[in-house]
Amino acid sequence: MNIILIGPPGAGKGTQAKRLVTERGMVQLSTGDMLREAKDSGTEMGQRVAEVMSKGALVTDEIVIGLIAEKLDSLGDAGAIFDGFPRTLAQADALDDLLQARGAPIDHVIEMRVDDEALVARISGRFSCASCGEVYHDTTKPTRKDGVCDICGSAQFIRRADDNEESLRARLMAYYKQTSPLLGYYHAKGQLSVVDGMGQMDAVAGAISGVLDS
Ligand code: AMP
C-alpha cells in the first residue's frame, strides 16, 4: 500500500509516518529528511538547498523528484508513506508517472488538518534526537529523563534551523499557495481522506488507521 500524508508544517506528518513504519512495516519517504541529509553532506547541491530551506521556500521540483525516483528504485515491495511529497502539482504528476511505472499506485491521500495557531506552538518547541530521530517538544512531549532520548539513550539533540517563526510563516505561505491545490486534485481523483490532526497522537493514529483499513 502506498499513501501520501499532506498537511502544513507541524501537522504531525513525520510523527504519524514513523508510527506507520513501526506498526505496518511501511517505508517513510520524507523529502525534508532527504534534503537535510543533502544539506549536511556539504555538496554543491546541498549548499543550494540549504539556502532555500532556511528561507522556508520550496526546493525545485527537479531536485525533489530526482531524490524520490532514486529512493523508489531501491524500495522493493514495501509500501511507501510519502511524507512532505508531493508539494506541487508538477511533483504530483511526476509521482503518478513513477508509481504507474512500478505498477503500485497511490491507495490513500490523507490530509492532516490542523489550526494555523496551533502550528506556531508546535513548531517552536520542537526538537529531535540526533541519533534515532525521535521527535520531542519542550512542553507537550519532553524526554522522560532530562537530556536523554527515551528511545535510544542518546544525549545529542537537534533543533531544525527552519523551525522559527519567520521561516514558519514562509513555509505556511508555500503550503497554501503551492501545496493546498493538491487537495482538490486528489479529491477529484477520489483518493482524498481528511483526518483531524488536532487530537492526541493516538487519536490521530487511530483515524489514519481507520482510513487505511477502510
Ligand atoms: P519538511 O521537513 O517536510 O517540513 O521540509 C523542510 C523543507 O524542505 C521545506 O520547507 C522545503 O524547503 C524543503 N522541502 C521538503 N520537501 C519538499 C518538496 N516536496 N518540494 C520542495 N521542497 C521541499
Side-chain angles (χ1 to χ4, degrees):
M1 179 185 291
N2 293 316
I3 69 166
I4 296 173
L5 297 180
I6 297 193
K13 301 183 296 291
T15 303
Q16 294 298 332
K18 285 188 175 63
R19 280 182 80 128
L20 292 169
V21 168
T22 311
E23 290 168 11
R24 295 184 182 243
M26 298 174 79
V27 174
Q28 178 187 11
L29 297 180
S30 157
T31 39
D33 286 349
M34 294 173 206
L35 290 166
R36 277 182 287 279
E37 258 172 47
K39 194 176 97 172
D40 294 342
S41 69
T43 57
E44 199 196 313
M45 189 263 260
Q47 283 170 5
R48 266 186 291 141
V49 304
E51 203 174 314
V52 175
M53 288 169 80
S54 70
K55 288 186 192 145
L58 292 189
V59 171
T60 63
D61 290 334
E62 193 190 347
I63 289 179
V64 288
I65 291 166
L67 288 171
I68 284 286
E70 213 174 281
K71 292 278 175 185
L72 282 177
D73 277 345
S74 55
L75 190 64
D77 290 335
I81 308 154
F82 294 94
D83 160 12
F85 180 91
R87 265 171 150 104
T88 64
L89 285 165
Q91 293 176 23
D93 279 342
L95 181 62
D96 283 346
D97 291 346
L98 285 167
L99 291 178
Q100 203 171 358
R102 288 169 54 84
I106 288 294
D107 297 285
H108 296 283
V109 178
I110 299 176
E111 177 194 357
M112 298 180 62
R113 209 171 271 177
V114 184
D115 297 343
D116 282 358
E117 308 87 75
L119 298 174
V120 179
R122 280 190 184 192
I123 283 208
S124 47
R126 184 160 79 167
F127 62 101
S128 61
C129 172
S131 176
C132 72
E134 180 69 4
V135 180
Y136 295 97
H137 189 277
D138 290 328
T139 50
T140 58
K141 193 191 164 198
T143 53
R144 280 197 289 269
K145 189 169 169 220
D146 208 19
V148 180
C149 175
D150 297 354
I151 306 297
C152 73
S154 163
Q156 302 286 321
F157 295 92
I158 38 178
R159 283 179 196 265
R160 281 173 47 167
D162 60 349
D163 273 355
N164 61 70
E165 209 173 323
E166 197 186 335
S167 276
L168 176 62
R169 237 177 289 128
R171 287 156 69 196
L172 267 179
M173 188 56 82
Y175 177 75
Y176 288 117
K177 205 170 157 186
Q178 291 164 279
T179 306
S180 65
L182 296 186
L183 299 172
Y185 171 69
Y186 287 120
H187 172 72
K189 289 179 79 178
Q191 292 175 318
L192 186 72
S193 301
V194 181
V195 302
D196 177 6
M198 291 298 293
Q200 294 294 313
M201 246 184 299
D202 287 347
V204 179
I208 290 175
S209 277
V211 173
L212 303 195
D213 296 335
S214 64

